[in-house]
Amino acid sequence: MSVSETQAAPAVALLARPGAARERLREALSHADVQLVLEDDPNTLEARVLQEARPQFVVIALEAAIEDALERLEAVLSAPGLTLVFDEAELAARRDGWEAQRWGRHLSAKLHGHQQVLPPGAEEEPSLQLEPGHPAPAPAPQEEALQPHLEQALSWADEVPADTLYSPPVQLHEPIALEQALAALQPVVPEPLQAPALPSLAETASAVPPLPPVSFDHTAWSLVEDEADADASATAPHHAAVEAPLPSFDTGHLSLVDLDAAAPVGARAGSLLVLAGIGGPDALRRLLGALPPSLSVPVLVHMRLDGGRYGNLVKQMARVSPLPVQLAEAGQRATPGEVHVLADDIGVQAASDGLHFVSDAQGIAIAALPGDHTALVLLSGADLAHVGPALDLAAAGAWVAGQVGEGCYDPAAATAVVAAGMVAGEPQELAQAIAARWGEQDDNGEAP
């Protein structure tokens, strides 16, 4: 039974400018078994029209040309019970073939609230969940069914030819017991020879002449021998060691060690790194929106975007994040309690006073982050190449987590770290765990 047969089709509004992206999204929604209540250009759409359509989901094709329109419609888009699904307009326009079908199945699963993302006809793995109760007993053998075969084998037993390659020995006329056969194989042990009688201990003692008594003059004993009577060659090193003066320890120049100065470079460079990709804007919105405004570490966000329009991503996340959001620049220091969006050519360098952004053609390097003071979250669409460095950082003491749930459109990297034993959860759940671990606390020890 399909999802459409068990529940009403969800009402969906499509906001996109006319073009290839809008056509691709409309085609995906037509195969998703939903009710398209509104399709319009957000630049000309009135807030009242969108509100009267009463959609449950709003699918938005993001591009720079509709930024002002989204700000104008923000009051309606922020209504409770309304779910927003973002997609890059440029990616949607180029999506075709197998990739378009795969994205459409994930979109349908999100709109209907299930996890059926396999293509039609694909077999699902059987459930491995244990069930209570004893296992069913094995069926008892049916003797009636075996009896005819036993009788037939008995009737044919005399006709079976014997094996002529082996002839038993002549002396073995009838079988013997196993114990008798083993006893016959044991070698015969000869009886021990009679040893001559030895004299007793008393006789031996009486044959030995007694020793003369030894007298000791205890009046000549002393605890330490005089140096004149002792052998100089044997006792000279000993006396030299005893008579050597003890080293003196000057306590006047002692000082306490500065623990902060002795700390390794980057020991206090704590940070939260968030990696995302396809489907990442929605997951990133949910994660940043649930973070506390009193977070004690800087948040670094890297989500690869075609065209490098990271300025637009900063504007989008600034609407939902309680923390300030800005674009990271080379030479700038990562500020605790702020969100820094990293472009493809921005890396980080650990120092004693925190993290600093540097120009790096390779982008962010996970290995450059200090393990003991780093949190790493892999959201939907994170690059698989980041899985290995993330697990290495976890082995060094970092807190690593991966997104799970129906909103994870590309779960390959996130699922890999979760399968390795890392923390798993929805973006809001991961934000709560981060707040409990790195949120600033008041005097009572409770997070604000």
Side-chain angles (χ1 to χ4, degrees):
M1 181 179 293
S2 63
V3 177
S4 60
E5 297 176 357
T6 58
Q7 60 183 7
V12 180
L14 174 60
L15 302 185
R17 292 200 311 159
R22 183 168 169 178
E23 295 176 1
R24 294 287 189 277
L25 292 175
R26 184 194 310 115
E27 181 180 359
L29 292 174
S30 64
H31 293 89
D33 195 13
V34 299
Q35 181 183 2
L36 189 61
V37 297
L38 178 64
E39 178 183 348
D40 205 341
D41 186 350
N43 291 327
T44 59
L45 178 63
E46 296 293 336
R48 177 183 54 81
V49 177
L50 178 59
Q51 187 175 10
E52 291 177 353
R54 300 181 180 277
Q56 298 172 274
F57 297 87
V58 178
V59 180
I60 303 175
L62 285 177
E63 54 183 327
I66 66 170
E67 291 292 333
D68 296 337
L70 294 182
E71 293 181 1
R72 179 171 51 83
L73 300 173
E74 182 176 3
V76 181
L77 295 177
S78 303
L82 184 62
T83 302
L84 305 181
V85 180
F86 294 94
D87 189 18
E88 290 289 336
E90 185 175 354
L91 292 178
R94 297 201 312 263
R95 196 179 291 124
D96 195 7
W98 177 87
E99 184 180 0
Q101 296 176 7
R102 176 178 176 273
W103 189 89
R105 292 194 300 270
H106 283 273
L107 176 62
S108 176
K110 183 175 182 62
L111 298 178
H112 288 279
H114 60 77
Q115 298 182 357
Q116 301 175 6
V117 296
L118 297 178
E123 297 181 357
E124 297 185 0
E125 297 183 356
S127 176
L128 300 179
Q129 297 293 333
L130 299 179
E131 298 182 357
H134 295 285
Q142 301 291 335
E143 296 183 0
E144 295 80 1
L146 297 177
Q147 190 61 31
H149 300 282
L150 295 177
E151 294 177 355
Q152 185 180 23
L154 183 61
S155 63
W156 289 353
D158 297 335
E159 301 177 4
V160 176
D163 191 355
T164 59
L165 296 179
Y166 171 75
S167 300
V170 180
Q171 63 273 17
L172 297 181
H173 298 287
E174 53 185 37
I176 61 175
L178 178 61
E179 292 79 2
Q180 298 177 1
L182 293 178
L185 296 176
Q186 295 298 325
V188 178
V189 180
E191 297 182 358
L193 299 176
Q194 186 69 23
L198 297 177
S200 63
L201 181 59
E203 296 174 353
T204 304
S206 61
V208 178
L211 296 176
V214 180
S215 61
F216 293 93
D217 185 7
H218 64 275
T219 61
W221 291 357
S222 62
L223 295 178
V224 180
E225 295 182 354
D226 296 336
E227 293 184 3
D229 298 335
D231 188 5
S233 62
T235 59
H238 173 72
H239 287 290
V242 174
E243 295 177 359
L246 296 175
S248 61
F249 192 76
D250 187 9
T251 60
H253 298 83
L254 294 179
S255 62
L256 296 176
V257 177
D258 187 359
L259 296 180
D260 292 337
V265 174
R268 296 181 298 277
S271 63
L272 165 62
L273 176 60
V274 182
L275 303 174
I278 298 178
D282 183 41
L284 188 59
R285 283 181 63 256
R286 295 158 60 190
L287 177 70
L288 296 182
L291 290 177
S294 59
L295 199 66
S296 61
V297 294
V299 181
L300 313 181
V301 175
H302 178 65
M303 184 174 67
R304 191 173 298 275
L305 298 176
D306 292 341
R309 296 191 304 271
Y310 292 99
N312 297 337
L313 182 62
V314 171
K315 294 180 181 179
Q316 298 171 20
M317 297 303 126
R319 299 192 186 100
V320 297
S321 174
L323 303 174
V325 184
Q326 58 180 328
L327 188 63
E329 298 180 0
Q332 181 185 10
R333 177 177 174 270
T335 305
E338 295 186 5
V339 180
H340 303 270
V341 178
L342 277 64
D344 295 339
D345 57 350
I346 295 295
V348 294
Q349 183 177 8
S352 59
D353 60 341
L355 295 177
H356 294 260
F357 301 116
V358 295
S359 297
D360 191 343
Q362 302 298 328
I364 182 69
I366 298 178
L369 300 174
D372 293 341
H373 299 78
T374 300
L376 179 59
V377 177
L378 282 75
L379 297 179
S380 173
D383 195 346
L384 273 174
H386 291 151
V387 174
L391 296 180
D392 294 340
L393 198 66
W399 185 87
V400 180
Q403 178 189 356
V404 296
E406 59 183 20
C408 194
Y409 296 106
D410 187 5
T415 304
V417 297
V418 171
M422 301 297 106
V423 181
E426 294 277 355
Q428 296 93 329
E429 298 173 347
L430 299 179
Q432 295 175 3
I434 294 169
R437 188 178 180 92
W438 284 278
E440 294 181 356
Q441 297 181 348
D442 55 17
D443 297 337
N444 297 329
E446 298 179 354

